Amino acid sequence: MSTLVVVGVQWGDEGKGKIVHLLGRRADIVVRYQGGNNAGHTVIFDGKHFVLHLIPSGILQPGKKCLIGNGVVVDPEALQEEIQFLEKRKIRVEGRLFVADAAHVILAYHRYLDCLREDTSHGKIGTTRRGIGPAYSDKVGRTGIRIADYLNPGLFRLLLERNLREKAPLLKRFGSLREIRRHVLKRYNSLRSFLTPYVVNGPEYIYKAAASRKRILFESAQGTMLDVDFGTYPYVTSSNPVAGGVAIGSGLSPARIDEVLGVVKAYTTRVGEGPFPTELKDALGESLRQRGMEFGATTGRPRRCGWFDAVAVRHAVRINGSNWLALTKLDVLEGVHPLKIAVAYRVGGKILKEFPSDRQRQAEAVPVYEEMPGFHGSIRGMTRYEQLPVHARRYVKRLETLVGAKFAMISLGRSREETIILDSKFPWKP
Ligand code: IMP
């Protein structure tokens, strides 16, 4: 058996979709363990462009099995839409996709509450408005509804009634209790029968897969800096994208995690509000956004762009234990000179080399930059490390040293072929 976790080590959108797709060829099972349809994993497959939100991207590879683990929050309507989208494109899903019965459901009122909080509170997060935060709040508040409860009509109606009554004062702006109940129940019967064949006991599924020595790839959504514990709290998502989340979100014993690969962009982006010390609010930031096509795969929002932040990535590499990294979008930096890397922060007259855990210092952090010469000419299409211009290679080496991990591959474009596989001991080398 061999298990690999692929995790983002910035603020999400590092290009995990392509990397999971590339490595997924060597997996038997691909598992999502946190998040929900807030994610947007872009994959080019057979010349076609796919954006997956909830279903692991392993589904695009014939013969692979996929699991949505108990740590994911599942919007039944969104899941049905995604399954139908894939089946229309002749990708068979039934019999290959499984959903843990302990995963919590996102219902219409979670989406309403997400919007309400975003529109009216002072602490706007810039969420995807998919109901993720409110669904996780219910989970830890012990009022959540799991898939198993959702499939049990008597119990579901009881729990729904209790939750609607509890949330009624907040929900009244969206209509009467009766209207909201009607909305939640509108497609309930058809969704329930649609979902039933996909549902399994998650930990049992994972345990049996591990016991029969299957190769399992865990696909994280979002990124370490959006982790509810280790990210820029409160400007984070409501789950644990870090590798430690795998055990909680799937039922795999932490003792059985073999490798962790971090995915990191050659510069930094973030969507939504919150601290971003290396953000470029100038023409260069705009140029990175255009050249890197930095627009949210889920919401279409423009992503904020900035220099590579080695302080944040080193923090993420340590938490994940990601000794291996995949570097993405190096080609977007073609012609940018000089290249800057944040190697520390200055906060209140002090130099900080570690990512601060409190919001005030995160907001006040001013990067201390190291400059390197940029590289020129097109590097797209290169497949060997030696082909890269010397200054590109120096940049890559410097990043490795600063963050304390080795690159196993460098991605120079969206398709599978546009990748340099480095000569390394990375056990899942494609
Ligand atoms: P939520 O996950 O919708 O609650 O949003 C919380 C924060 O995480 C917001 O800043 C979102 O923009 C961000 N976020 C959520 N999912 C993603 C993602 O897949 N990529 C990048 N940012 C994300």
Side-chain angles (χ1 to χ4, degrees):
M1 202 240 339
S2 163
T3 58
L4 169 73
V5 186
V6 176
V7 62
V9 292
Q10 292 161 312
W11 278 275
D13 306 319
E14 297 91 351
K16 296 180 291 294
K18 167 181 164 172
I19 303 298
V20 169
H21 189 53
L22 190 69
L23 301 178
R25 284 191 291 184
R26 300 199 51 194
D28 300 304
I29 304 171
V30 183
V31 181
R32 273 279 305 269
Y33 58 93
Q34 48 71 230
N37 59 326
N38 48 349
H41 292 166
T42 307
V43 181
I44 308 283
F45 178 63
D46 262 358
K48 291 185 213 122
H49 184 269
F50 291 88
V51 182
L52 296 167
H53 299 286
L54 201 47
I55 300 178
S57 45
I59 204 73
L60 300 177
Q61 319 229 19
K64 310 286 175 200
K65 300 268 163 73
C66 292
L67 176 72
I68 294 180
N70 57 279
V72 176
V73 281
V74 178
D75 183 328
E77 293 180 39
L79 182 59
Q80 184 189 43
E81 258 171 46
E82 206 162 303
I83 293 173
Q84 289 173 340
F85 167 86
L86 290 168
E87 296 216 312
K88 263 197 207 125
R89 281 155 189 79
K90 307 268 175 287
I91 292 168
R92 196 177 150 63
V93 179
E94 205 179 323
R96 297 180 52 221
L97 172 70
F98 303 95
V99 182
D101 60 1
H104 282 245
V105 290
I106 300 179
L107 298 170
Y109 57 83
H110 293 119
R111 294 192 295 267
Y112 293 152
L113 292 171
D114 202 355
C115 294
L116 185 72
R117 212 175 279 169
E118 283 293 294
D119 293 338
T120 60
S121 88
H122 294 299
K124 182 175 156 61
I125 305 290
T127 72
T128 57
R129 297 176 180 248
R130 299 289 192 270
I132 307 296
Y136 278 115
S137 300
D138 278 2
K139 173 178 173 171
V140 292
R142 294 163 295 184
T143 55
I145 300 178
R146 291 168 152 196
I147 294 271
D149 309 326
Y150 185 76
L151 297 185
N152 175 339
L155 179 61
F156 173 62
R157 276 165 205 265
L158 214 72
L159 296 174
L160 175 67
E161 210 46 45
R162 181 200 62 187
N163 287 1
L164 286 178
R165 287 189 184 283
E166 182 191 278
K167 297 175 200 305
L170 286 172
L171 289 171
K172 59 177 184 277
R173 157 187 145 138
F174 299 98
S176 68
L177 207 57
R178 186 138 49 94
E179 281 164 335
I180 293 170
R181 184 189 300 112
R182 193 160 3 107
H183 190 169
V184 175
L185 291 174
K186 197 165 68 189
R187 291 179 49 211
Y188 172 67
N189 287 330
S190 71
L191 283 168
R192 188 177 147 262
S193 15
F194 184 84
L195 287 186
T196 301
Y198 296 95
V199 178
V200 294
N201 175 327
E204 181 190 343
Y205 183 89
I206 280 287
Y207 180 79
K208 287 188 174 159
S212 55
R213 312 188 72 75
K214 299 284 189 219
R215 291 172 65 88
I216 313 175
L217 190 158
F218 293 88
E219 172 179 4
S220 139
Q222 292 84 47
T224 304
M225 301 311 290
L226 287 171
D227 185 280
V228 67
D229 284 278
F230 301 105
T232 43
Y233 189 89
Y235 299 98
V236 292
T237 192
S238 299
S239 63
N240 290 110
V242 295
V246 163
I248 306 292
S250 73
L252 183 83
S253 155
R256 304 194 93 155
I257 297 175
D258 298 318
E259 298 293 340
V260 182
L261 174 86
V263 184
V264 66
K265 219 181 271 195
Y267 49 98
T268 314
T269 62
R270 116 163 262 182
V271 205
E273 309 297 317
F276 180 178
T278 62
E279 181 170 13
L280 286 163
K281 293 184 177 163
D282 56 7
L284 180 57
E286 184 54 36
S287 147
L288 291 177
R289 179 156 42 249
Q290 296 304 331
R291 286 157 46 178
M293 291 185 283
E294 298 294 357
F295 296 89
T298 300
T299 57
R301 290 178 292 174
R303 296 178 185 144
R304 300 156 66 192
C305 298
W307 294 116
F308 190 94
D309 186 340
V311 184
V313 176
R314 188 170 55 233
H315 162 77
V317 161
R318 288 179 186 169
I319 290 165
N320 290 298
S322 47
N323 298 328
W324 299 107
L325 293 173
L327 182 66
T328 62
K329 292 194 158 182
L330 183 62
D331 53 301
V332 175
L333 295 180
E334 281 164 7
V336 178
H337 175 81
L339 292 169
K340 293 191 189 182
I341 308 170
V343 293
Y345 301 140
R346 186 170 283 113
V347 188
K350 286 207 182 103
I351 296 291
L352 275 191
K353 293 216 163 152
E354 304 298 331
F355 197 83
S357 43
D358 63 290
R359 66 180 92 184
Q360 183 153 354
R361 284 190 301 165
Q362 286 170 5
E364 290 172 1
V366 177
V368 176
Y369 286 117
E370 189 174 290
E371 287 192 10
M372 299 190 74
F375 53 93
H376 299 277
S378 174
I379 59 172
R380 269 191 97 157
M382 292 184 179
T383 50
R384 284 184 303 112
Y385 182 69
E386 298 69 38
Q387 293 175 297
L388 289 175
V390 62
H391 291 311
R393 278 183 273 149
R394 281 196 192 145
Y395 182 67
V396 168
K397 284 284 156 213
R398 187 66 188 139
L399 297 186
E400 277 190 337
T401 308
L402 287 169
V403 306
K406 287 261 169 237
F407 288 118
M409 58 199 85
I410 301 175
S411 162
L412 301 173
R414 279 187 158 179
S415 76
R416 204 140 73 175
E417 296 69 38
E418 294 173 298
T419 316
I420 297 176
I421 308 297
L422 294 162
D423 187 21
S424 72
K425 294 203 168 79
F426 176 54
W428 280 61
K429 204 150 94 174

